[in-house]
Amino acid sequence: MRKNLVAGNWKMNLTYPEGLALVGEIVNAASSAATGANAPEIVICPPFPLLHGVGQALPQGGKFHLGAQNCHQKESGAFTGEVSPKMLASVGCEYVILGHSERRQYLREDDDLLGQKLKAALAAGLKPIFCVGEPLDTRESDETFNFIGKQLADGLFHLSNEEFDQVTIAYEPIWAIGTGRTATSAQAQEVHAFIRERIARAYDGKVALDTTILYGGSANAQNARELFSQPDVDGGLIGGAALKAADFATIIQSF
Ligand code: PEP
């Protein structure tokens, strides 16, 4: 079901006490904003060791939800250092980010592995936030649509209708992540509309209209309203600005 949504990706930041302090500030700053017809669903995605504590600090049954930043593709077994989707669900996670460009780049996660992770996450009842986005040279050589189209076809469109229904897509141009260089609202809208059109082709028009598509890449308290006002932008996946409670609260109120 399509909805407004803001997810905060804390990446590899904050100790346990720091994370608890930040989530307390976010809940205080954002609770009044988290009501009303346009109010977004809010997903907080801390590092693994903070998940349970942060989840406990979120008001239950409302707009706040817990998400992880990654999961393994198997349910359990001899995979030292890994965390399974089932474990995430058991500590209260409802969402999991998959395909983030940092993991594609530094951890060499490819479409085949991401396909397995998607299936495993869905089987455990988690809702994937699946990231796509082009590098700068791809944009500069006018290959953005080809690149994103391939990421969608290879990474996502193998899912059944029922599985795809659980997925949120995040368009995150790599050149905009953590760089302070945001896509213009027109650039974001253009790619979001393209993604929706590709979903319509792969599934159907109703599925496309029902899909939540987020923008990510240096979104902040100043530019969120303009980005979220675009017809195909349903919210944001927020990195740096999600670590500042006041900024994150402003972003949540930007619909
Ligand atoms: C991200 O990591 O998903 C992200 C969008 O980061 P930032 O907002 O810092 O660019």
Side-chain angles (χ1 to χ4, degrees):
M1 231 269 281
R2 188 166 171 186
K3 56 189 164 238
N4 291 338
L5 192 154
V6 172
N9 174 13
W10 289 6
K11 309 196 189 194
M12 196 175 73
N13 291 298
L14 306 180
T15 62
Y16 191 83
E18 288 167 349
L20 289 191
L22 177 62
V23 73
E25 286 175 40
I26 289 172
V27 169
N28 278 340
S31 284
S32 61
T35 54
N38 278 340
E41 202 158 283
I42 303 158
V43 185
I44 308 287
C45 304
F48 289 141
L50 281 63
L51 279 170
H52 185 253
V54 168
Q56 293 291 302
L58 294 175
Q60 301 303 303
K63 287 281 180 183
F64 288 95
H65 301 268
L66 188 66
Q69 299 172 21
N70 174 45
C71 67
H72 195 262
Q73 62 275 24
K74 294 274 197 268
E75 198 177 287
S76 62
F79 301 102
T80 302
E82 294 293 338
V83 175
S84 77
K86 196 174 165 188
M87 293 169 186
L88 296 175
S90 78
V91 293
C93 272
E94 291 174 63
Y95 285 86
V96 60
I97 299 171
L98 291 175
H100 194 283
S101 61
E102 287 154 12
R103 295 196 63 86
R104 289 180 190 260
Q105 184 183 349
Y106 305 135
L107 283 303
R108 302 267 153 82
E109 294 197 351
D110 60 14
D111 291 324
D112 178 46
L113 177 64
L114 290 172
Q116 295 176 49
K117 290 191 176 204
L118 274 167
K119 290 271 187 193
L122 288 161
L126 297 176
K127 298 176 201 162
I129 298 176
F130 187 77
C131 304
V132 296
E134 80 285 1
L136 186 58
D137 57 344
T138 299
R139 174 155 288 268
E140 286 176 344
S141 56
D142 240 357
E143 288 293 325
T144 297
F145 288 160
N146 284 341
F147 189 91
I148 304 285
K150 187 164 167 26
Q151 279 188 325
L152 292 169
D154 294 351
L156 209 48
F157 292 161
H158 55 88
L159 297 179
S160 68
N161 280 57
E162 293 69 31
E163 289 170 330
F164 188 80
D165 190 45
Q166 299 302 308
V167 175
T168 294
I169 296 176
Y171 167 55
E172 298 210 309
I174 296 171
W175 47 271
I177 296 178
T179 59
R181 182 178 168 189
T182 322
T184 64
S185 54
Q187 285 172 322
Q189 168 56 27
E190 188 184 37
V191 177
H192 282 229
F194 169 80
I195 292 171
R196 224 177 274 291
E197 184 262 320
R198 283 302 159 100
I199 298 167
R201 263 202 230 176
Y203 296 91
D204 62 44
K206 180 170 180 327
V207 173
L209 283 178
D210 280 350
T211 303
T212 303
I213 309 178
L214 310 179
Y215 168 78
S218 297
N220 58 38
Q222 286 72 46
N223 59 30
R225 188 171 291 281
E226 166 72 16
L227 286 161
F228 299 170
S229 71
Q230 300 304 306
D232 287 297
V233 179
D234 302 313
L237 177 54
I238 315 296
L243 296 170
K244 297 177 205 133
D247 288 7
F248 194 60
T250 301
I251 292 169
I252 288 165
Q253 293 168 70
S254 298
F255 289 88

